Amino acid sequence: MDNRFANIFGLTEEQSIALLDTPPEQATDESERYIAASQLANYPSEASINALIRAVNVTYDSLDNRITRRKSVESLGKLKAKQSLEVIRPCLSDTDRYTVEAAVWTIGEIGTENTEILEEITQLLLKPDQAYRVIIHTLVKLNYVAAVDRVRPFMDHEDEPTASAAIATVCRFAQDFSQIDRVVSFLQSDSVNARRACLEDLINARYYAAIPAIARCPISLMFRLRAIRSLADSGIAAGEVSINEVLPVIEQILLDHPNDLDLVHEYDQPPVLEFLIRELYHTDFGRTYLATQTLIEQQSEAVPTALFETYEAEAHNDYGAHYHVMKLMGWLKHQPAYDLLLEALTNTSPQFMKSRAAAALSLGYLGDQRAIAPLQTSAQSNIWMLQYTSLMALEKLGDYSQHKLLLEADDWAVRAKANQVLPGVTTNSTGLMNS
Amino acid sequence: MKSVVTTVIAAADAAGRFPSTSDLESVQGSLQRAAARMEAAEKLSGNLDNVAKEAYDACIAKYPYLNNAGEANSSETFKTKCMRDVKHYLRLISYSLVVGGTGPLDEWGIAGQREVYRALNLPTGPYVAALSFARNRGCAPRDMSAQALTEYNALVDYVINSLS
């Protein structure tokens, strides 16, 4: 579980409980109780669970109480609080669809084999305007095979992510892969949501043949890495995927060159530099990758200048554009960006984590030997993608000193990478499954 | 892009019928509120950076420890996360004001986001806090007319409800 943002509000358990227990009509600030409910997911104690259960039982009718109640249900799921199951179950018939969705998801997290509850969840598929995708995912998670025929009609749902979830579920439960190509085709959907959503379904279907297509899907590398690593976990365990197949894919994604992606957008006229820079801020990475590809192709001296300017003005504060600036400086081999990249490499703010990995690789592309020492340090961080990209960058700079220090790394991919280059040492898929 | 108009026409077309009286009433209702929505959209677009910054500043005033040096809870972390996401949602709110429906928010802001936040364990607290401040900071007639503020607040509430 990624806990980078766990303590963003810095509330203690006691403070959070006190805020959550404040009657909604007396709360001085409407969002306080909501924040307290989300914060308590980080405190796995009886006191915290009991406070969340009390909050679920507060049915005061207001927007702020509704979102607090919903968040409390979700936090109980994150805490996998079995004792809350009977309090959450009535939420399945709540009139607020998001509360129903949270209850379904939370039951999936807690886990149950109670067929009455599983049927109750399945019956929600017959109710209008529900979060069908979450319901279907939860049925998969709880391995409720008896639901397969009620999931089947959703294979043709007009909402692509819902259809995608249904197809993957039928694949998994009925071992019927006849329509899996439709799920794979969503990797090239115009909609960024459909592109992201189908990854989850390919993971659920355990469809290992999709690994190369996932790597080329134009969405943020974080989504692609998560999917590939999940598929690798189950695929290696099942003996259907080998580490040697997966490692080059992971490297391709970490490198994240737009030419290695199947882009879904195109320009109807040659874009000007100012427009391309603006595109780096877009939340659809399909569009940002098209912009980075075009900026690389232009090979214009104006590009690095524009990147420095946008970094100063906004990108230093925007975790999306920040990443692309770091990548582009490497692809353009722009030597004056050395200090900027070094700063990004050591930026520990959690939202800039992927920029650190990008900076490591770009420092490798710059070829400046001064980067070896800081990259050696980052190779010893506890973030797998930073370790991995640091090793890749150090290889570019001719330094293999860190590989032998990471032969027993905690992360299986880093461990395999470290082992890969040393003569006489071979990777062992059995050993890799220990992480 | 879904709006009141496209929803009504799509429903009528699906049934192969002319728009009904209630269809026309709902379109008319939307058109009557159009001036207020355009006013809200114009004020919001012209003031986007200030609205986002005010929301952030108000959060800092409320949670001063966010200014403490540190990593995940440093003000810079909060600020960048808060600013980027709040600006994104305010932009979609301005589109929705123009459309006269929640289509832009639904299609570009909400669909799939709940799943992403859950799957990657990303915090929703910062923008719920900031958007609550953005809603409460709006003042008529200082910022816009009362009618325009009603339209704006309804969409801010819609985002808070849908993404929380």
Side-chain angles (χ1 to χ4, degrees):
Chain A
M1 181 67 85
D2 181 348
N3 286 320
R4 281 177 292 155
F5 297 100
N7 200 24
I8 198 162
F9 284 95
L11 289 172
T12 65
E13 181 178 7
E14 290 71 26
Q15 287 169 326
S16 302
I17 290 174
L19 283 174
L20 191 56
D21 277 337
T22 310
E25 62 274 27
Q26 290 173 22
T28 51
D29 181 302
E30 297 99 324
S31 59
E32 274 180 354
R33 292 181 67 244
Y34 175 85
I35 288 162
S38 58
Q39 189 68 23
L40 284 177
N42 302 303
Y43 299 114
S45 71
E46 281 299 311
S48 160
I49 289 168
N50 289 335
L52 289 164
I53 288 175
R54 287 196 295 276
V56 175
N57 286 325
V58 176
T59 53
Y60 182 76
D61 187 23
S62 71
L63 169 64
D64 300 301
N65 187 56
R66 195 158 61 240
I67 67 175
T68 301
R69 193 164 171 257
R70 222 187 264 160
K71 201 67 182 177
S72 301
V73 170
E74 190 181 292
S75 289
L76 286 164
K78 288 183 178 173
L79 291 169
K80 302 193 190 304
K82 278 197 187 314
Q83 62 271 52
S84 67
L85 203 54
E86 288 309 314
V87 181
I88 288 162
R89 189 174 170 183
C91 297
L92 292 174
S93 52
D94 203 281
T95 51
D96 173 41
R97 58 167 286 187
Y98 294 126
T99 302
V100 177
E101 179 187 331
V104 169
W105 181 83
T106 289
I107 292 172
E109 290 298 297
I110 293 172
T112 182
E113 292 179 356
N114 181 331
T115 48
E116 276 183 30
I117 297 178
L118 292 166
E119 267 307 307
E120 221 173 301
I121 294 173
T122 310
Q123 291 298 322
L124 289 169
L125 292 171
L126 302 173
K127 278 179 85 171
D129 198 30
Q130 296 297 314
Y132 301 118
R133 191 172 152 80
V134 176
I135 296 168
I136 293 169
H137 279 168
T138 302
L139 291 169
V140 173
K141 189 160 193 193
L142 298 173
N143 203 29
Y144 191 52
V145 182
V148 67
D149 286 331
R150 283 165 287 179
V151 170
R152 217 180 276 274
F154 288 87
M155 292 166 81
D156 295 315
H157 201 275
E158 60 178 0
D159 175 54
E160 287 182 344
T162 301
S164 174
I167 296 167
T169 303
V170 172
C171 292
R172 170 87 173 266
F173 282 168
Q175 288 299 302
D176 170 7
F177 283 77
S178 59
Q179 296 206 47
I180 193 70
D181 286 346
R182 279 179 58 207
V183 181
V184 178
S185 73
F186 293 142
L187 290 169
Q188 289 292 301
S189 168
D190 288 346
S191 157
V192 65
N193 289 321
R195 272 179 267 141
R196 288 174 184 167
C198 71
L199 288 191
E200 203 63 30
D201 302 319
L202 292 166
I203 295 169
N204 282 341
R206 296 179 183 159
Y207 190 57
Y208 308 115
I211 286 176
I214 291 171
R216 299 186 65 82
C217 176
I219 50 174
S220 166
L221 81 164
M222 302 304 275
F223 292 101
R224 285 177 283 145
L225 287 170
R226 180 172 174 273
I228 298 296
R229 287 170 63 91
S230 298
L231 283 169
D233 281 339
S234 60
I236 294 170
E240 294 197 38
V241 176
S242 80
I243 192 74
N244 294 329
E245 290 171 79
V246 175
L247 230 46
V249 178
I250 288 178
E251 286 192 24
Q252 179 189 325
I253 298 174
L254 287 170
L255 275 175
D256 208 18
H257 195 288
N259 287 353
D260 290 330
L261 299 170
D262 295 324
L263 299 178
V264 291
H265 299 93
E266 59 185 13
Y267 298 128
D268 54 4
Q269 53 186 316
V272 296
L273 179 59
E274 192 184 8
F275 171 83
L276 291 170
I277 296 290
R278 229 29 265 168
E279 284 291 274
L280 300 181
Y281 292 86
H282 209 282
T283 47
D284 179 349
F285 266 39
R287 283 173 60 167
T288 58
Y289 284 126
L290 178 60
T292 55
Q293 186 184 51
T294 313
L295 287 166
I296 295 166
E297 282 168 359
Q298 284 187 350
Q299 285 294 324
S300 155
E301 286 181 14
V303 174
T305 308
L307 290 174
F308 275 124
E309 283 172 5
T310 202
Y311 181 85
E312 278 304 310
E314 280 180 82
H316 70 277
N317 223 3
D318 180 297
Y319 53 89
H322 190 283
Y323 172 78
H324 297 296
V325 169
M326 297 310 146
K327 290 303 297 179
L328 277 161
M329 291 301 193
W331 298 130
L332 297 169
K333 295 190 170 66
H334 190 60
Q335 299 297 335
Y338 179 84
D339 290 339
L340 184 73
L341 292 168
L342 202 58
E343 188 187 328
L345 181 71
T346 53
N347 184 345
T348 53
S349 292
Q351 73 274 36
F352 292 116
M353 189 182 79
K354 68 183 172 195
S355 286
R356 298 180 75 184
L361 287 168
S362 290
L363 284 167
Y365 275 90
L366 256 50
D368 189 327
Q369 297 290 308
R370 286 179 299 164
I372 290 178
L375 284 167
Q376 287 172 339
T377 304
S378 58
Q380 299 302 324
S381 75
N382 56 4
I383 302 167
W384 84 267
M385 67 186 288
L386 183 56
Q387 289 182 301
Y388 202 115
T389 48
S390 299
L391 290 180
M392 289 168 74
L394 285 166
E395 285 174 15
K396 277 227 161 261
L397 297 169
D399 181 279
Y400 289 83
S401 63
Q402 300 307 298
H403 291 69
K404 51 179 169 283
L405 300 176
L406 290 168
L407 292 175
E408 303 293 331
D410 290 339
D411 182 83
W412 61 261
V414 175
R415 200 159 64 232
K417 173 71 178 165
N419 278 281
Q420 200 180 36
V421 293
L422 293 177
V425 181
T426 54
T427 52
N428 176 340
S429 63
T430 314
L432 296 167
M433 288 312 298
N434 292 335
S435 65
Chain B
M1 181 58 60
K2 252 168 89 172
S3 71
V4 174
V5 177
T6 59
T7 305
V8 161
I9 298 303
D13 185 52
R17 59 172 173 78
F18 285 82
S20 67
T21 308
S22 70
D23 286 342
L24 295 175
E25 278 170 0
S26 68
V27 173
Q28 196 173 35
S30 175
L31 293 176
Q32 280 166 353
R33 287 157 37 217
R37 290 202 314 268
M38 295 313 121
E39 183 198 335
E42 188 189 359
K43 300 276 166 59
L44 180 59
S45 302
N47 212 14
L48 183 63
D49 287 337
N50 282 342
V51 174
K53 189 173 179 314
E54 270 192 13
Y56 164 73
D57 288 343
C59 278
I60 290 297
K62 178 74 195 170
Y63 302 99
Y65 47 78
L66 290 169
N67 274 324
N68 295 344
E71 289 184 12
N73 63 337
S74 73
S75 60
E76 202 57 25
T77 298
F78 185 88
K79 183 176 181 179
T80 54
K81 180 102 194 90
C82 187
M83 289 292 220
R84 180 177 158 98
D85 293 356
V86 167
K87 271 191 193 173
H88 173 64
Y89 291 120
L90 289 176
R91 182 166 59 85
L92 296 181
I93 284 174
S94 77
Y95 295 168
S96 295
L97 286 165
V98 174
V99 167
T102 55
L105 278 165
D106 291 335
E107 290 171 38
W108 297 334
I110 292 162
Q113 275 312 103
R114 298 170 61 78
E115 182 175 333
V116 166
Y117 287 131
R118 254 191 227 124
L120 301 185
N121 202 25
L122 298 174
T124 50
Y127 61 72
V128 168
L131 287 171
S132 298
F133 283 116
R135 176 188 56 192
N136 297 338
R137 289 285 294 149
C139 176
R142 184 195 66 186
D143 301 322
M144 55 184 85
S145 69
Q147 185 70 38
L149 192 61
T150 304
E151 298 289 336
Y152 165 72
N153 281 345
L155 286 167
V156 176
D157 278 348
Y158 184 81
V159 178
I160 293 172
N161 185 47
S162 306
L163 286 167
S164 53

